[in-house]
Amino acid sequence: MEVAIRNFSDWEISLLKSTIVPPTATEDEIKLFIMICKKYNLDPFSKEIVMTKYQTKDGYKTNFITTRDGYLKIAMQDPGFDGIISFVVKEGDEFEIDAGSLQVKHKFGSKRGEIIGAWAMARHRNRPPVIVFVDFKEYVQNTPVWRQYPSAMIQKVAEVSALRRQFNISGLVAREEIGEVEIEHKVVEEKKSHSEDQSGKTEELEERITDKQLKMIHALINEYARITDSPRDEIVNEIKEEYGVEHSTDLSKEQASRLINELQTKIYEANIQRK
């Protein structure tokens, strides 16, 4: 089966820059993001893949993030894809992986306890199967979606690991494997005024929200309202109350970065709950 390459028009690239990629993304990073989208035939406009850029102690870090469904879409484009099977292992189960014969023996216990981990087997018609086991304690996160759906999340982590190895998927990070990444982690450069106020103190001017951030916030609010069937005005009013502003243009650049992160996290969790 021949897969059509995902191409981007000039208009789509312009929209990508104004609404999808982080405001601090460089032209080279955007080009690399588009290249990854094309390579794996993932659609950034439907959130099959996102770019994040955040600050660490060593500087900025950029990730291209997809989900288990994104990995599965990539694998299914391979003519040799022969399915994937996975299960959650709990206390009380009989579980064994025979590495020599590439066999898994897993029988549910009559009384199943806490989650131990999950296993997955990704099969290819022309290669041996890839079997992985992931330990729950190594991946569990203290987030709402992990607290509510721990079995589903650890199972997806196992599937991602097996698909990545079987189909040689590189350059991507799985959303299920990482914590809550800040899209823009304190990307504010504070400007200090040299003028003195009446009390003799130096007045600090906070950098305001950028046009890119403003467009992205409006797009994310619309998307969140759509997938949750929530009135847009209610979402906007909640944001105003939380951030203490009358209009979105009153947000600082730092507040806008935090809001973008919060909205993308809410959209991601809402999509998980719908599945």
Side-chain angles (χ1 to χ4, degrees), residues 68 71 84 118-122 130-134 139 154-169 174 176-177:
R68 185 284 309 271
Y71 274 84
I84 184 168
W119 65 272
M121 178 191 295
V130 168
I131 303 171
V132 299
F133 174 81
V134 293
Y139 287 93
I154 194 62
Q155 190 169 347
K156 288 181 178 183
V157 170
E159 291 179 354
V160 163
S161 183
L163 290 168
R164 178 187 291 126
R165 289 170 55 187
Q166 179 64 273
F167 296 93
N168 192 28
I169 302 170
E176 291 84 1
E177 293 178 310

Side-chain angles (χ1 to χ4, degrees), residues 13-30:
I13 292 175
S14 176
L15 182 63
L16 194 76
K17 291 179 178 180
S18 64
T19 63
I20 302 296
V21 302
T24 56
T26 66
E27 285 296 321
D28 285 342
E29 287 170 337
I30 294 172

Side-chain angles (χ1 to χ4, degrees), residues 84-186:
I84 184 168
I85 183 171
S86 63
F87 285 98
V88 174
V89 181
K90 294 187 177 183
E91 294 175 350
D93 289 359
E94 297 178 20
F95 176 69
E96 177 184 318
I97 294 179
D98 187 332
S101 62
L102 296 176
Q103 296 291 321
V104 178
K105 298 178 181 178
H106 185 193
K107 182 178 180 181
F108 289 178
S110 57
K111 293 183 179 179
R112 307 185 77 199
E114 297 295 320
I115 299 172
I116 297 174
W119 65 272
M121 178 191 295
R123 296 190 295 259
H124 193 282
R125 293 185 181 91
N126 304 319
R127 296 190 290 266
V130 168
I131 303 171
V132 299
F133 174 81
V134 293
D135 191 301
F136 183 70
K137 291 181 180 179
E138 293 181 5
Y139 287 93
V140 63
Q141 301 163 29
N142 186 26
T143 62
V145 68
W146 271 87
R147 288 194 296 268
Q148 190 170 0
Y149 305 103
S151 294
M153 294 303 290
I154 194 62
Q155 190 169 347
K156 288 181 178 183
V157 170
E159 291 179 354
V160 163
S161 183
L163 290 168
R164 178 187 291 126
R165 289 170 55 187
Q166 179 64 273
F167 296 93
N168 192 28
I169 302 170
S170 60
L172 292 172
V173 178
R175 192 69 170 89
E176 291 84 1
E177 293 178 310
I178 61 177
E180 298 301 330
V181 176
E182 293 188 18
I183 308 301
E184 298 281 337
H185 182 69
K186 296 182 179 179

Side-chain angles (χ1 to χ4, degrees), residues 240-254:
K240 288 180 180 178
E241 184 176 347
E242 179 182 353
Y243 285 86
V245 296
E246 286 296 322
H247 305 284
S248 55
T249 51
D250 295 330
L251 291 166
S252 69
K253 195 174 178 182
E254 182 177 13

Side-chain angles (χ1 to χ4, degrees), residues 248-264:
S248 55
T249 51
D250 295 330
L251 291 166
S252 69
K253 195 174 178 182
E254 182 177 13
Q255 288 175 320
S257 295
R258 181 157 60 91
L259 178 56
I260 288 169
N261 181 44
E262 290 175 355
L263 287 169
Q264 288 215 336

